[in-house]
Amino acid sequence: MGDPSVNVSFTEFQLIGFTDLKGYRPLLFIPFCIILMYTLFANGVLMIIIAKERKLHAPMYILIGLIAALGFVVPIYFIPRMLVSFLWEMNTITRHECLIQMFCLHFSGCFQSTILLGMAVDRYFAIIYPLRYNDFVNMTNSLIFSAIFSIRNAVSIIAMVGLVVPLTFCKTNLIYHSFCEHTSVVNLACNDVTKNYLALTVAFGITSADCFLIFCSYVIIFVVIFRSPSGESRHKAIHTCTTHIMTIAIAYISVTAAFVGYRVATIPRDARILTSAMYHLVPAICNPIIYGLRTTEIRTQIVKCLKCNKIATN
């Protein structure tokens, strides 16, 4: 328990991530600025293509559009503040801003896990029950699925962040991180934080459960695919599922790297911050490339738009 005599709680924090780099820290502005511009452009193009083309208004492409939307908004949560910090050493963030940023980042992580699960479920019914696909995957069922998992995610993250609100931060207001990550903030508290780590474990357990369900779905899918006769439909199913597995692998490898980074004491703290940032950024960087190059329908529409723009300029 915290010292009851302590009645001071910081209302502002200093995000001082990467200061171990000293004079080289401002150079980080360049790669993170490039990442921000690329993720906004690439994911924005993917969203526009899916929104404009009616042929792509199917459940799977809508899920891809949602993944692109996450890739668009998540970097906005923290990269602009990082860029300002790198160039002008403006590291201050208020307690309320910190909690909002924490909620947005962790909720986005859970929401990404839900979208990946939705993709796995979609492919499961498309391949296991192709003749009844529209019976299972329709607007009503999709809305029910979305509502249940959105409520689950919101309750989990609201509880996790809500438990941070009453904490007293009297140790220091220096956070060696570039954004308000739950563990980094909670470690500054003078109170008993057992409930906070329990809530974090529950949130991590939710994404782990999603990962387990995704794994089981694709095991069944590939068993069915490889038992089916070879042909164009089998090749297309393998190609589509492989594309989704690449996305899933990138997401969960990133989160695993960030999770391990905070629990191995020998890892330098700048490396921990980098892996934590990449957990949010790698999917946003890779997904537009994966779906833009490997999804024929999306690639065709991108090429068509490029040709139209080229003709218009000529």
Side-chain angles (χ1 to χ4, degrees), residues 213-226 245:
L213 292 174
I214 291 168
F215 175 78
C216 293
S217 298
Y218 277 105
V219 168
I220 297 171
I221 288 170
F222 276 102
V223 168
V224 172
I225 288 175
F226 287 114
I245 287 173

Side-chain angles (χ1 to χ4, degrees), residues 169-307:
F169 299 100
C170 56
K171 292 181 180 179
T172 179
N173 69 336
L174 301 180
I175 303 176
Y176 199 88
H177 212 300
S178 292
F179 52 88
C180 288
E181 190 270 338
H182 180 269
T183 304
S184 298
V185 176
V186 169
N187 284 341
L188 303 182
C190 304
N191 316 80
D192 181 7
V193 294
T194 303
K195 292 181 179 179
N196 298 88
Y197 285 114
L198 180 60
L200 179 63
T201 303
V202 170
F204 185 77
I206 286 174
T207 56
S208 299
D210 289 347
C211 182
F212 176 75
L213 292 174
I214 291 168
F215 175 78
C216 293
S217 298
Y218 277 105
V219 168
I220 297 171
I221 288 170
F222 276 102
V223 168
V224 172
I225 288 175
F226 287 114
R227 284 182 177 177
S228 63
S230 59
E232 184 179 347
S233 59
R234 175 178 170 177
H235 174 75
K236 184 177 180 180
I238 293 173
H239 180 83
T240 303
C241 290
T242 303
T243 300
H244 297 157
I245 287 173
M246 290 171 64
T247 304
I248 291 164
I250 287 170
Y252 284 108
I253 288 173
S254 300
V255 70
T256 301
F259 183 80
V260 172
Y262 275 94
R263 283 150 184 83
V264 179
T266 55
I267 295 178
R269 55 184 184 174
D270 282 343
R272 294 178 187 177
I273 298 174
L274 185 61
T275 56
S276 185
M278 288 300 105
Y279 154 55
H280 296 288
L281 295 177
V282 169
I285 294 169
C286 296
N287 289 340
I289 298 173
I290 293 172
Y291 289 114
L293 295 179
R294 291 183 58 86
T295 306
T296 304
E297 293 82 357
I298 294 176
R299 185 174 67 247
T300 301
Q301 294 303 320
I302 292 174
V303 172
K304 187 186 294 186
C305 287
L306 291 174
K307 287 182 178 179

